Amino acid sequence: MKISVASGKGGTGKTTFAVNFSLFLNNIKKNKIVLVDLDVEEPDCHIFLKHKNFKRKKCFREIPKVNEKCNLCGKCSEICEFNAIAVTNTKVIIFPDLCHSCYACIEMCPQKAFDIENIEMGEIHWGNIASNNFYFVEGKLKIGEVMAVPMIRQTKNFSAERFGENSYFIFDSPPGTSCPVIEATKESDFVVLVTEPTPFGLHDLKLAVETMRKLRKKFGVVINKAGIGDQSVSEYCYNEKISILGEIPYSREIAELYSQGKNIINLPSINKIFEKIHKNILSLL
Amino acid sequence: MKIAFTTTGKGWDAQVDTRFGRAIGFFIFSEESKIEYYVSNEQNMNAMGGAGVQSAQNIINLKIDALVTGNMGPRAFQILNSAGIKIYLAEENLTIKEAYEAFKKNELKEVANPNVAGHWV
Amino acid sequence: MKELVVISGKGGTGKTSLTASFAYLAGENTILADYDVDASDLHILLEPKIKKTYQFYGGKKANIIKEKCIGCAKCQEICRFDAVKNVDDKFEINKIDCEGCGYCYRICPTDAIEFKDNLSGEWYISKSRFSSTLIFAKLDIAEENSGKLVTEIKEVARNLANENNKDLLISDGAPGIGCPVIASLSNANYILIVTEPSLSGFHDLKRILELVKHFGYSAGCIINKYDINKKITKEIEIFSHNNELEIIGKIPYSDSFPKSLVLKQTVVEFDKSDIGKTVENCWGKLQSKL
């Protein structure tokens, strides 16, 4: 089972939901629960897990590296759509940060003058949290690295290989509606869209809904900070026949727990809400 | 010497385009043959990234000796420098003619380092 | 002309609410820009009248012309992005997965693949309800946000400001630490980071400041909801002091923020007393930085 947690806008409580929902599932399920932080630019889940001894693995992506067979013909620079290669009268210059690893230059070079080089793009951290059946994985992009999609893909693949398809995966996806979100949600069985009941929340929820419909995903909405704004998000969901999986009320207590990096699942009222959300997801699968 | 100017239009009276990667075009003048012509750079306007790389490649392919432009990012600089092409900076609002005159009088600053950060890296 | 760029690293800190408040306080003689092209929200509070719409093309996408496809599967073999799908022995490209590398287009033996500029969004020149000019954009969903659109609207905003002799450009920066935010920062005179005293807010503040310093900008910060966790607020203050990050102001938690949002007002219009005054003071301090 794979469930992605996404939101059109940052700061709606996506990470809070992903972490607490994983803890909730760990309490009720026999499966391995694997929480995977795919918000690789700013992974924050670990803050709420208070775990220090993560295992680490460096991640690489493949880029071309020119070898001695090169005769400076310039074909590679001509075909590279990402402008990652320039050929001067003395050498070939490759810009790794522009390369999308499409292999066109490598495989179309008339001289076969390219080898493959691995460059580091970030790290995967993982570990066993709290109980024997709860695992955590995060992908973290190096500062200055800009290719989020390959980092997300490797983190997903690593999680699947390491923990097996029978595990219960919760993916904390990056915010927004562009490529990284697609990568973090496209193989999931269900997507939880977390929003807040304000005009900003509504506007960005609409974009997220449009994205999920384009991907033909099953999805539902969790309204976080319920009570701070108005009814427009609920009305929108009602009109669009979108399931509201549950509402997490706003309270100063929750905001303070959050600020300390503490979890909310042990509050009995919140645990009840998560029970309901879980039931609603099952009924939609 | 074959000189290229980044330009916003055609002819000697057009203004120097202070952008390099996303310059609208190049005005090329060969001092030896007195031949002058315009090369569009607009295929580059829609590049997602690395416009400076592509512009620099164009300059190399045009067999230019000296380039006059407004700004130069790190990637383009690296490429042009490695190709031995000299780079000079022109102020805003100069026409190509004025820039050429300033160039002849050695009034333009030769670039020894990139003067702007790349746009999105 | 000076440009103030407001960023936050982490979402939900109140960045856009504050940017809109500054836009209100700055009045009609200002240019405003929203660089959060993925989910632009500034216009919700500024309710602008759109004057002009422009199309944005970002990169290219491949498309297979069915009649010319002989089903040799070559394109599928070489595509590293799994964008080519087999449908009844003919092939199709899934636009969402296509990275725009053009490899398939170059090797197709029957020239059955076209490779065209991809319309991926729109941007607008508009007039805000404060009579200032607002430039904002909407990137289509599932498109790549490379920072190019940000760069494009930034150039337009800066040119408009210069042409019309406006002294100030206030920009709502892109979120995160990737290309779009880097593009948001370029040429800025001052960067304001809006943060909150939570562990994740502090964590993201450190990451975003590293980026800001890397490019050599001067920056200040506002701690919003500072009384939610006074211990972390103190830590942020010490951190700021040690990292040449000036504290522009501290704003207490207040339901004036969501309440004003619901009425589509800026918080300074809604709450003329406590919070409004605090935000006005921040603005006064910011002006002295520009």
Side-chain angles (χ1 to χ4, degrees):
Chain A
M1 175 66 64
K2 290 177 178 154
I3 295 178
S4 287
V5 184
S7 68
K9 170 186 184 305
T12 56
K14 173 175 65 62
T15 298
T16 306
F17 179 81
V19 172
N20 286 284
F21 190 58
S22 304
L23 292 167
F24 169 81
L25 291 173
N26 183 49
N27 288 339
I28 62 160
K29 289 223 181 279
K30 290 198 181 76
N31 308 52
K32 261 186 208 162
I33 306 295
V34 188
L35 170 62
V36 187
D37 196 341
L38 296 178
D39 190 357
V40 298
E41 270 187 36
E42 316 215 39
D44 274 354
C45 285
H46 67 95
I47 291 172
F48 300 91
L49 294 172
K50 307 270 190 288
H51 186 81
K52 295 254 152 33
N53 303 314
F54 288 120
K55 295 191 181 92
R56 294 163 178 269
K57 172 180 173 299
K58 284 196 161 86
C59 291
F60 300 88
R61 60 190 174 92
E62 294 179 336
I63 62 161
K65 184 184 180 187
V66 75
N67 65 31
E68 67 296 335
K69 286 181 234 156
C70 176
N71 64 358
L72 300 172
C73 76
K75 174 133 188 171
C76 50
S77 151
E78 210 181 289
I79 62 171
C80 178
E81 283 297 323
F82 308 108
N83 296 328
I85 312 182
V87 181
T88 74
N89 45 357
T90 55
K91 63 174 171 185
V92 175
I93 303 173
I94 294 166
F95 296 98
D97 42 2
L98 293 175
C99 176
H100 288 223
S101 309
C102 74
Y103 286 72
C105 59
I106 298 172
E107 291 168 9
M108 289 179 77
C109 172
Q111 310 301 321
K112 301 212 177 337
F114 283 109
D115 299 326
I116 290 165
E117 183 183 7
N118 281 309
I119 60 161
E120 194 185 328
M121 65 174 166
E123 281 188 2
I124 291 175
H125 305 151
W126 76 98
N128 179 220
I129 310 282
S131 78
N132 287 331
N133 254 342
F134 185 28
Y135 296 86
F136 172 66
V137 184
E138 80 172 0
K140 188 168 191 171
L141 215 51
K142 246 170 71 170
I143 288 224
E145 263 294 318
V146 294
M147 303 281 177
V149 171
M151 189 67 218
I152 294 172
R153 198 176 297 146
Q154 278 194 29
T155 309
K156 263 189 333 191
N157 292 346
F158 171 85
S159 309
E161 278 162 29
R162 175 96 203 172
F163 299 104
E165 292 293 331
N166 290 329
S167 305
Y168 210 106
F169 292 97
I170 304 294
F171 295 122
D172 187 13
S173 125
T177 57
S178 57
C179 303
V181 184
I182 309 293
E183 191 60 42
T185 51
K186 68 181 184 189
E187 287 132 24
S188 292
D189 303 295
F190 193 84
V191 181
V192 176
L193 298 177
V194 182
T195 188
E196 57 180 39
T198 64
F200 287 176
L202 174 63
H203 175 261
D204 299 337
L205 173 65
K206 285 180 185 169
L207 298 175
V209 165
E210 209 187 318
T211 312
M212 291 311 132
R213 287 188 171 154
K214 203 164 173 175
L215 290 173
R216 302 210 177 98
K217 285 282 145 202
K218 288 181 186 158
F219 65 93
V221 168
V222 167
I223 302 177
N224 190 24
K225 308 184 202 173
I228 61 163
D230 59 7
Q231 293 303 312
S232 53
V233 167
S234 315
E235 281 163 19
Y236 164 77
C237 290
Y238 180 78
N239 291 332
E240 291 283 318
K241 301 191 168 52
I242 297 165
S243 318
I244 296 177
L245 305 168
E247 299 191 19
I248 303 171
Y250 178 82
S251 80
R252 184 145 179 146
E253 187 189 5
I254 293 176
E256 283 173 10
L257 285 172
Y258 170 83
S259 78
Q260 298 158 11
K262 288 186 180 151
N263 295 311
I264 56 174
I265 195 66
N266 296 328
L267 303 173
S269 61
I270 297 294
N271 196 68
K272 267 214 179 83
I273 293 167
F274 275 77
E275 248 171 51
K276 188 181 147 211
I277 292 171
H278 179 238
K279 230 172 87 192
N280 285 335
I281 292 173
L282 289 181
S283 73
L284 290 167
L285 279 169
Chain B
M1 182 175 279
K2 197 172 171 187
I3 310 164
F5 301 82
T6 47
T7 181
T8 55
K10 290 181 184 174
W12 287 100
D13 295 325
Q15 285 198 343
V16 173
D17 197 332
T18 53
R19 302 167 300 181
F20 176 67
R22 295 190 193 279
I24 294 169
F26 302 118
F27 179 81
I28 318 277
F29 177 60
S30 165
E31 290 183 305
E32 290 77 23
S33 63
K34 302 286 179 224
I35 289 173
E36 56 183 67
Y37 58 101
Y38 172 84
V39 179
S40 165
N41 192 43
E42 284 188 49
Q43 94 284 352
N44 228 0
M45 306 284 279
N46 285 335
M48 279 302 270
V53 174
Q54 188 56 48
S55 272
Q57 186 72 58
N58 290 347
I59 291 293
I60 289 173
N61 295 350
L62 289 162
K63 308 247 180 299
I64 301 295
D65 302 302
L67 166 74
V68 178
T69 186
N71 289 295
M72 177 67 46
R75 295 196 193 103
F77 178 80
Q78 188 191 343
I79 298 164
L80 295 172
N81 199 32
S82 128
I85 296 169
K86 296 216 181 288
I87 309 155
Y88 298 88
L89 292 191
E91 305 260 319
E92 231 169 297
N93 302 327
L94 283 188
T95 63
I96 304 294
K97 199 171 171 182
E98 289 162 346
Y100 179 60
E101 279 160 10
F103 171 76
K104 288 311 279 180
K105 287 188 217 151
N106 280 326
E107 286 172 1
L108 296 185
K109 192 178 149 220
E110 188 176 340
V111 190
N113 284 300
N115 72 332
V116 289
H119 273 312
W120 46 79
V121 173
Chain C
M1 189 270 298
K2 306 272 181 171
E3 181 174 3
L4 167 70
V5 181
V6 186
I7 55 172
S8 69
K10 181 186 179 311
T13 58
K15 164 177 74 81
T16 300
S17 293
L18 287 172
T19 309
S21 296
F22 300 149
Y24 169 79
L25 295 167
E28 59 182 296
N29 253 327
T30 316
I31 303 277
L32 310 167
D34 190 348
Y35 300 143
D36 189 353
V37 298
D38 212 354
S40 71
D41 281 349
L42 190 58
H43 68 93
I44 295 171
L45 290 178
L46 301 185
E47 299 180 295
K49 286 201 176 65
I50 291 176
K51 293 262 165 104
K52 254 182 160 169
T53 301
Y54 298 83
Q55 293 186 318
F56 170 71
Y57 287 87
K60 293 182 173 182
K61 297 253 164 165
N63 178 43
I64 297 176
I65 306 162
K66 264 214 166 101
E67 300 74 52
K68 288 194 185 173
C69 174
I70 52 166
C72 73
K74 240 181 150 146
C75 50
Q76 193 177 36
E77 280 161 29
I78 57 95
C79 180
R80 288 299 197 287
F81 309 101
D82 290 330
V84 186
K85 305 273 172 277
N86 187 338
V87 185
D88 306 328
D89 288 333
K90 294 263 178 176
F91 290 82
E92 271 177 21
I93 289 170
N94 181 355
K95 250 188 105 173
I96 292 180
D97 288 328
C98 176
E99 187 89 357
C101 70
Y103 193 0
C104 58
Y105 148 81
R106 292 176 204 284
I107 56 125
C108 174
T110 58
D111 287 332
I113 300 181
E114 49 184 8
F115 191 48
K116 287 187 175 162
D117 282 340
N118 174 43
L119 179 65
S120 60
E122 281 184 341
W123 57 271
Y124 316 94
I125 296 183
S126 68
K127 194 173 179 184
S128 78
R129 64 185 171 86
F130 313 139
S131 295
S132 43
T133 301
L134 167 69
I135 295 110
F136 68 106
K138 185 178 185 294
L139 189 72
D140 289 346
I141 55 175
E143 292 293 343
E144 184 185 357
N145 188 359
S146 72
K148 188 195 166 206
L149 179 53
V150 175
T151 303
E152 212 164 297
I153 58 176
K154 183 172 209 127
E155 205 169 289
V156 172
R158 293 183 69 91
N159 285 342
L160 275 176
N162 284 327
E163 282 162 21
N164 298 299
N165 294 316
K166 308 280 185 191
D167 301 328
L168 185 60
L169 166 60
I170 302 177
S171 313
D172 193 357
I177 58 157
C179 299
V181 69
I182 296 169
S184 302
L185 300 180
S186 93
N187 290 315
N189 299 84
Y190 197 73
I191 311 287
L192 173 67
I193 308 174
V194 182
T195 187
E196 60 174 33
S198 62
L199 285 176
S200 45
F202 192 17
H203 176 260
D204 291 351
L205 171 68
K206 289 179 192 161
R207 241 164 115 79
I208 193 88
L209 186 66
E210 197 177 326
L211 190 83
V212 168
K213 293 271 160 173
H214 176 79
F215 288 100
Y217 296 105
S218 43
C221 100
I222 287 181
I223 309 175
N224 195 8
K225 314 173 204 171
Y226 81 88
D227 50 347
I228 284 278
N229 189 323
K230 288 189 175 151
K231 187 171 156 266
I232 298 179
T233 292
K234 191 81 210 148
E235 285 171 29
I236 293 176
E237 286 174 305
I238 294 167
F239 170 82
S240 300
H241 181 77
N242 293 335
N243 287 278
E244 287 162 44
L245 176 70
E246 187 170 348
I247 304 275
I248 297 295
K250 292 193 291 184
I251 303 174
Y253 174 79
S254 160
D255 59 6
S256 287
F257 278 92
K259 278 185 178 157
S260 60
L261 247 180
V262 167
L263 297 172
K264 298 193 179 168
Q265 286 182 352
T266 64
V267 73
V268 278
E269 289 168 286
F270 176 80
D271 182 341
K272 302 263 182 210
S273 55
D274 308 353
I275 297 292
K277 284 265 160 14
T278 313
V279 175
E280 263 180 62
N281 286 340
C282 293
W283 176 237
K285 211 162 168 192
L286 277 173
Q287 279 175 301
S288 70
K289 299 285 154 202
L290 291 162

